[in-house]
Amino acid sequence: MEPQTDTSTGQVAEPALSDHIAFDHVFSLAGKVALITGGGSGIGFDIARCMVEAGATVIITGRREQPLQDAVETLGERAHYEVNDVTERARLGELVATIEQTHGPIDILVNNAGINMKKPALEVTDEDFDRIVHTNLNSVFSLTRACASRMIERGSGSIIMISSMAAYYGIDRVAAYAASKSGVEGMVKVLASEFSGRGVRVNAIAPGFIETAMSKTAMGGDPDRFARAMRRTPMGKFGKPDDIGWAAVFLASDAARYVTGASLPVDGGNSIGF
Ligand code: NDP
């Protein structure tokens, strides 16, 4: 129950003791349905794994069927997949409808699918720029709108975007990627201000350097970039995909019921490193 405000005095009443959620339940996602884009590999796979361990049913998506099939086999009976390319925006409404018909209302959306490209800005073509922004930003908006309209009708939901340190400070050679992730950060604030009063929380996780295929490509053959990344990471190491997975469980759970419009760095201190 929400605390009541006495409109004559403007005072907020003390919450009833019954509002307290016990530790056993507060991080639980039992009975929840989560849609995780790009869940067949990397960070998305570990978000799915952590959410399954927290009790959720997960539906993972991606363009390639084989990694999705393998992932679902590993994740067990509460995991399902849909082959889907998030850039085909006209089909995202149909994706959401199909999932809800089969598995029930989507309680949690994790916009994780993303692509990167490392090139000096002057070599980035319009096509390159559009491709990155289309996947990482435009599609995120379309899928979020498709899910959020249903969540708002039901009066509950949690939406999580996967942002990046590239939205926090200037990393060279990722102009399009940084633009897309900065757009995502802005969108979180606006959507949180529009949706939160109607029961739908919107947050981001900003991963630092996490061990996945994407970071391997970004760092591969570039020891100087790797050394720079580690120099400004106080913990002095890369994160693991499940470091992001557990943060996503927290943001999706009742433990974060008063958290909205936030961007949570999960980065070994990289964002505050000197
Ligand atoms: P990976 O490249 O390992 O995984 C990306 C996933 O997204 C794949 O499963 C891929 O599957 C899927 N994907 C890509 N394009 C599409 C598409 N058009 N439609 C549907 N699915 C798609 O990357 P990470 O796990 O490292 O990254 C996950 C997220 O985390 C991204 O948003 C990334 O920007 C962000 N991030 C990662 C960091 C890192 O250090 N690793 C740091 C900061 C942010 P398929 O190819 O089959 O479609």
Side-chain angles (χ1 to χ4, degrees):
M1 204 182 73
E2 294 303 314
Q4 299 299 309
T5 305
D6 181 333
T7 45
S8 60
T9 63
Q11 292 204 329
V12 180
E14 284 294 314
L17 282 177
S18 59
D19 286 350
H20 178 73
I21 307 170
F23 179 74
D24 293 357
H25 301 294
V26 77
F27 295 103
S28 170
L29 301 182
K32 305 273 189 201
V33 173
L35 167 58
I36 302 158
T37 63
S41 64
I43 289 173
F45 173 76
D46 272 71
I47 293 174
R49 177 155 65 181
C50 292
M51 288 197 170
V52 165
E53 284 185 30
T57 293
V58 301
I59 297 90
I60 58 175
T61 70
R63 293 165 299 182
R64 293 164 301 144
E65 184 157 20
Q66 192 59 53
L68 294 169
Q69 254 176 18
D70 295 344
V72 160
E73 212 163 287
T74 308
L75 292 169
E77 60 187 20
R78 268 188 285 105
H80 311 272
Y81 73 84
E82 292 284 340
V83 177
N84 176 265
D85 183 338
V86 288
T87 63
E88 291 175 17
R89 295 161 74 193
R91 301 188 55 195
L92 295 175
E94 186 189 317
L95 172 76
V96 171
T98 305
I99 291 172
E100 293 212 341
Q101 259 161 30
T102 315
H103 303 286
I106 296 169
D107 302 290
I108 302 158
L109 167 65
V110 185
N111 285 300
N112 163 79
I115 53 172
N116 195 358
M117 183 192 55
K118 201 171 77 178
K119 259 189 188 182
L122 296 181
E123 291 172 21
V124 174
T125 65
D126 289 346
E127 290 72 26
D128 288 334
F129 196 92
D130 288 352
R131 187 170 57 86
I132 303 289
V133 170
H134 192 55
T135 303
N136 294 0
L137 180 63
N138 300 349
S139 304
V140 167
F141 178 70
S142 300
L143 182 59
T144 299
R145 185 183 53 204
C147 286
S149 62
R150 290 163 178 261
M151 288 174 170
I152 287 168
E153 252 173 49
R154 297 189 288 265
S156 78
S158 170
I159 296 168
I160 299 169
M161 318 288 192
I162 304 300
S163 171
S164 168
M165 283 302 122
Y168 280 39
Y169 55 80
I171 305 179
D172 57 289
R173 286 170 284 161
V174 292
Y177 182 76
S180 69
K181 295 296 186 179
S182 302
V184 163
E185 291 269 343
M187 185 159 53
V188 164
K189 296 184 187 89
V190 174
L191 299 186
S193 74
E194 290 194 27
F195 299 167
S196 301
R198 294 185 274 174
V200 178
R201 295 182 297 106
V202 186
N203 292 291
I205 297 171
F209 294 97
I210 308 294
E211 282 173 19
T212 68
M214 183 187 283
S215 58
K216 212 169 165 185
T217 311
M219 294 292 169
D222 197 343
D224 177 54
R225 201 176 184 81
F226 176 79
R228 279 165 65 201
M230 287 305 92
R231 252 197 321 272
R232 65 166 295 161
T233 304
M235 289 185 79
K237 59 182 182 183
F238 270 51
K240 306 281 183 200
D242 67 352
D243 294 328
I244 307 304
W246 291 121
V249 167
F250 162 68
L251 285 176
S253 75
D254 284 342
R257 68 184 172 184
Y258 200 53
V259 181
T260 195
S263 180
L264 176 65
V266 180
D267 66 347
N270 180 272
S271 51
I272 51 83
F274 173 64

PDB file of all heavy atoms in Angstrom, residues 202-220:
ATOM      1  N   VAL A 202      11.162   2.689 -14.796  1.00  0.00           N
ATOM      2  CA  VAL A 202      12.106   2.620 -15.928  1.00  0.00           C
ATOM      3  C   VAL A 202      13.492   2.990 -15.406  1.00  0.00           C
ATOM      4  O   VAL A 202      13.675   4.062 -14.822  1.00  0.00           O
ATOM      5  CB  VAL A 202      11.706   3.599 -17.059  1.00  0.00           C
ATOM      6  CG1 VAL A 202      12.604   3.398 -18.281  1.00  0.00           C
ATOM      7  CG2 VAL A 202      10.241   3.444 -17.451  1.00  0.00           C
ATOM      8  N   ASN A 203      14.460   2.095 -15.597  1.00  0.00           N
ATOM      9  CA  ASN A 203      15.824   2.335 -15.122  1.00  0.00           C
ATOM     10  C   ASN A 203      16.830   1.827 -16.146  1.00  0.00           C
ATOM     11  O   ASN A 203      16.474   1.093 -17.069  1.00  0.00           O
ATOM     12  CB  ASN A 203      16.056   1.590 -13.798  1.00  0.00           C
ATOM     13  CG  ASN A 203      15.235   2.165 -12.665  1.00  0.00           C
ATOM     14  OD1 ASN A 203      15.484   3.287 -12.201  1.00  0.00           O
ATOM     15  ND2 ASN A 203      14.219   1.430 -12.218  1.00  0.00           N
ATOM     16  N   ALA A 204      18.080   2.217 -15.938  1.00  0.00           N
ATOM     17  CA  ALA A 204      19.170   1.701 -16.781  1.00  0.00           C
ATOM     18  C   ALA A 204      20.244   1.094 -15.904  1.00  0.00           C
ATOM     19  O   ALA A 204      20.402   1.462 -14.736  1.00  0.00           O
ATOM     20  CB  ALA A 204      19.768   2.827 -17.612  1.00  0.00           C
ATOM     21  N   ILE A 205      20.977   0.175 -16.493  1.00  0.00           N
ATOM     22  CA  ILE A 205      22.239  -0.283 -15.908  1.00  0.00           C
ATOM     23  C   ILE A 205      23.321   0.177 -16.880  1.00  0.00           C
ATOM     24  O   ILE A 205      23.200  -0.025 -18.098  1.00  0.00           O
ATOM     25  CB  ILE A 205      22.282  -1.819 -15.769  1.00  0.00           C
ATOM     26  CG1 ILE A 205      21.201  -2.303 -14.803  1.00  0.00           C
ATOM     27  CG2 ILE A 205      23.665  -2.283 -15.306  1.00  0.00           C
ATOM     28  CD1 ILE A 205      21.033  -3.814 -14.773  1.00  0.00           C
ATOM     29  N   ALA A 206      24.360   0.796 -16.343  1.00  0.00           N
ATOM     30  CA  ALA A 206      25.491   1.209 -17.181  1.00  0.00           C
ATOM     31  C   ALA A 206      26.683   0.317 -16.860  1.00  0.00           C
ATOM     32  O   ALA A 206      27.390   0.553 -15.874  1.00  0.00           O
ATOM     33  CB  ALA A 206      25.817   2.678 -16.928  1.00  0.00           C
ATOM     34  N   PRO A 207      26.874  -0.734 -17.677  1.00  0.00           N
ATOM     35  CA  PRO A 207      28.002  -1.628 -17.377  1.00  0.00           C
ATOM     36  C   PRO A 207      29.329  -0.947 -17.678  1.00  0.00           C
ATOM     37  O   PRO A 207      29.434  -0.142 -18.609  1.00  0.00           O
ATOM     38  CB  PRO A 207      27.799  -2.807 -18.345  1.00  0.00           C
ATOM     39  CG  PRO A 207      26.417  -2.666 -18.902  1.00  0.00           C
ATOM     40  CD  PRO A 207      26.092  -1.203 -18.834  1.00  0.00           C
ATOM     41  N   GLY A 208      30.327  -1.287 -16.886  1.00  0.00           N
ATOM     42  CA  GLY A 208      31.702  -0.909 -17.238  1.00  0.00           C
ATOM     43  C   GLY A 208      32.214  -1.920 -18.244  1.00  0.00           C
ATOM     44  O   GLY A 208      31.482  -2.329 -19.151  1.00  0.00           O
ATOM     45  N   PHE A 209      33.446  -2.343 -18.084  1.00  0.00           N
ATOM     46  CA  PHE A 209      34.026  -3.311 -19.024  1.00  0.00           C
ATOM     47  C   PHE A 209      33.724  -4.717 -18.522  1.00  0.00           C
ATOM     48  O   PHE A 209      34.177  -5.130 -17.457  1.00  0.00           O
ATOM     49  CB  PHE A 209      35.529  -3.053 -19.169  1.00  0.00           C
ATOM     50  CG  PHE A 209      35.795  -1.722 -19.817  1.00  0.00           C
ATOM     51  CD1 PHE A 209      36.074  -0.596 -19.044  1.00  0.00           C
ATOM     52  CD2 PHE A 209      35.714  -1.579 -21.197  1.00  0.00           C
ATOM     53  CE1 PHE A 209      36.287   0.640 -19.644  1.00  0.00           C
ATOM     54  CE2 PHE A 209      35.930  -0.343 -21.807  1.00  0.00           C
ATOM     55  CZ  PHE A 209      36.221   0.773 -21.030  1.00  0.00           C
ATOM     56  N   ILE A 210      32.924  -5.441 -19.290  1.00  0.00           N
ATOM     57  CA  ILE A 210      32.428  -6.759 -18.893  1.00  0.00           C
ATOM     58  C   ILE A 210      32.943  -7.793 -19.896  1.00  0.00           C
ATOM     59  O   ILE A 210      32.926  -7.534 -21.108  1.00  0.00           O
ATOM     60  CB  ILE A 210      30.875  -6.784 -18.891  1.00  0.00           C
ATOM     61  CG1 ILE A 210      30.288  -5.614 -18.067  1.00  0.00           C
ATOM     62  CG2 ILE A 210      30.342  -8.130 -18.405  1.00  0.00           C
ATOM     63  CD1 ILE A 210      30.558  -5.638 -16.583  1.00  0.00           C
ATOM     64  N   GLU A 211      33.364  -8.935 -19.391  1.00  0.00           N
ATOM     65  CA  GLU A 211      33.923  -9.991 -20.263  1.00  0.00           C
ATOM     66  C   GLU A 211      32.847 -10.604 -21.157  1.00  0.00           C
ATOM     67  O   GLU A 211      32.074 -11.454 -20.704  1.00  0.00           O
ATOM     68  CB  GLU A 211      34.496 -11.121 -19.399  1.00  0.00           C
ATOM     69  CG  GLU A 211      35.832 -10.831 -18.806  1.00  0.00           C
ATOM     70  CD  GLU A 211      36.257 -11.917 -17.829  1.00  0.00           C
ATOM     71  OE1 GLU A 211      35.723 -13.038 -17.863  1.00  0.00           O
ATOM     72  OE2 GLU A 211      37.124 -11.593 -17.003  1.00  0.00           O
ATOM     73  N   THR A 212      32.785 -10.170 -22.413  1.00  0.00           N
ATOM     74  CA  THR A 212      31.877 -10.786 -23.397  1.00  0.00           C
ATOM     75  C   THR A 212      32.540 -10.715 -24.769  1.00  0.00           C
ATOM     76  O   THR A 212      33.589 -10.083 -24.930  1.00  0.00           O
ATOM     77  CB  THR A 212      30.527 -10.035 -23.502  1.00  0.00           C
ATOM     78  OG1 THR A 212      30.778  -8.751 -24.095  1.00  0.00           O
ATOM     79  CG2 THR A 212      29.825  -9.863 -22.182  1.00  0.00           C
ATOM     80  N   ALA A 213      31.840 -11.286 -25.770  1.00  0.00           N
ATOM     81  CA  ALA A 213      32.368 -11.239 -27.145  1.00  0.00           C
ATOM     82  C   ALA A 213      32.537  -9.790 -27.595  1.00  0.00           C
ATOM     83  O   ALA A 213      33.512  -9.438 -28.262  1.00  0.00           O
ATOM     84  CB  ALA A 213      31.413 -11.987 -28.073  1.00  0.00           C
ATOM     85  N   MET A 214      31.566  -8.919 -27.199  1.00  0.00           N
ATOM     86  CA  MET A 214      31.625  -7.527 -27.643  1.00  0.00           C
ATOM     87  C   MET A 214      32.873  -6.823 -27.103  1.00  0.00           C
ATOM     88  O   MET A 214      33.600  -6.163 -27.839  1.00  0.00           O
ATOM     89  CB  MET A 214      30.374  -6.758 -27.199  1.00  0.00           C
ATOM     90  CG  MET A 214      30.361  -5.329 -27.693  1.00  0.00           C
ATOM     91  SD  MET A 214      29.011  -4.336 -27.040  1.00  0.00           S
ATOM     92  CE  MET A 214      27.636  -4.898 -28.009  1.00  0.00           C
ATOM     93  N   SER A 215      33.152  -6.990 -25.807  1.00  0.00           N
ATOM     94  CA  SER A 215      34.306  -6.294 -25.245  1.00  0.00           C
ATOM     95  C   SER A 215      35.607  -6.901 -25.764  1.00  0.00           C
ATOM     96  O   SER A 215      36.606  -6.218 -25.936  1.00  0.00           O
ATOM     97  CB  SER A 215      34.261  -6.311 -23.715  1.00  0.00           C
ATOM     98  OG  SER A 215      34.211  -7.619 -23.228  1.00  0.00           O
ATOM     99  N   LYS A 216      35.578  -8.200 -26.065  1.00  0.00           N
ATOM    100  CA  LYS A 216      36.756  -8.865 -26.619  1.00  0.00           C
ATOM    101  C   LYS A 216      37.103  -8.233 -27.977  1.00  0.00           C
ATOM    102  O   LYS A 216      38.264  -7.927 -28.259  1.00  0.00           O
ATOM    103  CB  LYS A 216      36.452 -10.354 -26.805  1.00  0.00           C
ATOM    104  CG  LYS A 216      37.649 -11.239 -26.616  1.00  0.00           C
ATOM    105  CD  LYS A 216      37.180 -12.686 -26.563  1.00  0.00           C
ATOM    106  CE  LYS A 216      38.365 -13.616 -26.743  1.00  0.00           C
ATOM    107  NZ  LYS A 216      37.938 -14.994 -26.820  1.00  0.00           N
ATOM    108  N   THR A 217      36.063  -7.995 -28.791  1.00  0.00           N
ATOM    109  CA  THR A 217      36.296  -7.369 -30.093  1.00  0.00           C
ATOM    110  C   THR A 217      36.790  -5.942 -29.898  1.00  0.00           C
ATOM    111  O   THR A 217      37.705  -5.489 -30.594  1.00  0.00           O
ATOM    112  CB  THR A 217      34.974  -7.343 -30.926  1.00  0.00           C
ATOM    113  OG1 THR A 217      34.417  -8.644 -30.895  1.00  0.00           O
ATOM    114  CG2 THR A 217      35.220  -6.926 -32.354  1.00  0.00           C
ATOM    115  N   ALA A 218      36.171  -5.220 -28.968  1.00  0.00           N
ATOM    116  CA  ALA A 218      36.551  -3.811 -28.761  1.00  0.00           C
ATOM    117  C   ALA A 218      37.983  -3.685 -28.249  1.00  0.00           C
ATOM    118  O   ALA A 218      38.699  -2.740 -28.597  1.00  0.00           O
ATOM    119  CB  ALA A 218      35.579  -3.146 -27.793  1.00  0.00           C
ATOM    120  N   MET A 219      38.421  -4.651 -27.421  1.00  0.00           N
ATOM    121  CA  MET A 219      39.759  -4.573 -26.811  1.00  0.00           C
ATOM    122  C   MET A 219      40.789  -5.382 -27.585  1.00  0.00           C
ATOM    123  O   MET A 219      41.990  -5.162 -27.439  1.00  0.00           O
ATOM    124  CB  MET A 219      39.719  -5.144 -25.378  1.00  0.00           C
ATOM    125  CG  MET A 219      38.885  -4.344 -24.433  1.00  0.00           C
ATOM    126  SD  MET A 219      39.670  -2.746 -24.134  1.00  0.00           S
ATOM    127  CE  MET A 219      38.357  -1.899 -23.286  1.00  0.00           C
ATOM    128  N   GLY A 220      40.304  -6.355 -28.373  1.00  0.00           N
ATOM    129  CA  GLY A 220      41.193  -7.299 -29.054  1.00  0.00           C
ATOM    130  C   GLY A 220      42.262  -6.581 -29.876  1.00  0.00           C
ATOM    131  O   GLY A 220      41.948  -5.677 -30.641  1.00  0.00           O
TER     132      GLY A 220
END
